[in-house]
Amino acid sequence: METQSPLPSDIWDRTPPEARAYIEALVARVDALEAMVKD
């Protein structure tokens, strides 16, 4: 699943894969929580 990166591409490209995975998990969690609040 390809999504837009949460950081500018030049920074995202230098971000270690482990940090990217963590950031993506946090973004997914925020998205889920926002969806719960909107309901």
Side-chain angles (χ1 to χ4, degrees):
M1 177 173 113
E2 189 68 30
T3 59
Q4 183 176 356
S5 91
L7 298 171
S9 62
D10 61 322
I11 296 172
W12 189 250
D13 292 342
R14 294 178 304 194
T15 304
E18 298 85 358
R20 286 185 187 198
Y22 186 65
I23 292 168
E24 289 169 341
L26 291 175
V27 169
R29 187 175 215 180
V30 168
D31 290 345
L33 290 170
E34 286 178 342
M36 290 172 60
V37 171
K38 289 179 183 178
D39 288 340

